[in-house]
Amino acid sequence: MNVNIEIPALMLLASSLLKNCIVDAQRSDAKRFFRALADGKAVLLNDVKMEDGSLLRVSLDMNYDEFRGQLNFTAFRNQLLMLVDSYARFLKTGNTPQLMSDQEGAEHVIFVPVISQTKGEINALVLGIDQRQPANLRLRLMFVDPDQFRDS
């Protein structure tokens, strides 16, 4: 089963799952997610029932190679809060987000970056989506080089 979901709907789904499973979760549960992600592991967020009755398994991983400073749980949670808030504000505009995709159209990056400053360090977070596995959706938190967003 290949799932075709519009990008605004994916942004809403991602925001909802991140908020429910990590931001608003019990601190011990959220920290467990964070530790697994920081160790390079993927975590299962939830199985989502689609309109046709099929199940979509949604998981999350993270690439923080470009994160500047020390990524601890508090910084991680704050980044997610900003992402959820940024997506909510963006979706209210009715605009279509810029999307970068691979040639096969199975991996995407939603180009609605979250720019933040923590202890004097600037960071940029974007959300990637991997749809290469049937009936699976992998969300990928990706910290990217923040210098690309500086004014010239």
Side-chain angles (χ1 to χ4, degrees):
M1 169 188 79
N2 285 327
V3 178
N4 185 14
I5 304 174
E6 296 294 322
I7 296 304
L10 275 173
M11 292 171 70
L12 186 60
L13 174 65
S15 293
S16 177
L17 288 173
L18 292 172
K19 187 170 180 345
N20 291 335
C21 296
I22 300 173
V23 174
D24 291 343
Q26 293 277 335
R27 187 170 177 84
S28 59
D29 293 337
K31 277 189 158 184
R32 185 174 32 86
F33 274 116
F34 169 70
R35 282 191 295 274
L37 293 168
D39 287 343
K41 299 174 185 167
V43 296
L44 175 65
L45 294 178
N46 210 339
D47 290 329
V48 177
K49 190 171 185 176
M50 304 303 292
E51 288 180 3
D52 66 1
S54 62
L55 285 180
L56 177 66
R57 179 155 281 215
V58 183
S59 60
L60 176 71
D61 66 22
M62 177 172 67
N63 179 331
Y64 65 103
D65 293 343
E66 296 286 335
F67 187 84
R68 296 181 180 179
Q70 182 179 354
L71 184 61
N72 57 31
F73 174 71
T74 300
F76 170 74
R77 187 174 178 282
N78 288 341
Q79 295 289 319
L80 292 185
L81 278 168
M82 287 185 278
L83 181 78
V84 168
D85 182 59
S86 177
Y87 277 16
R89 284 185 283 118
F90 184 87
L91 291 169
K92 283 182 184 177
T93 70
N95 293 332
T96 301
Q98 184 178 354
L99 189 68
M100 293 181 279
S101 301
D102 67 349
Q103 290 181 342
E104 291 79 31
E107 292 185 274
H108 316 281
V109 174
I110 299 172
F111 203 69
V112 179
V114 173
I115 311 298
S116 64
Q117 183 172 359
T118 305
K119 295 185 180 178
E121 297 285 353
I122 304 293
N123 283 290
L125 174 66
V126 294
L127 184 69
I129 300 164
D130 180 344
Q131 296 178 291
R132 291 178 292 172
Q133 298 294 318
N136 286 277
L137 178 68
R138 172 74 53 96
L139 303 176
R140 181 165 292 131
L141 298 171
M142 301 178 352
F143 289 93
V144 296
D145 182 2
D147 291 338
Q148 64 187 306
F149 302 103
R150 292 188 188 267
D151 290 334
S152 302

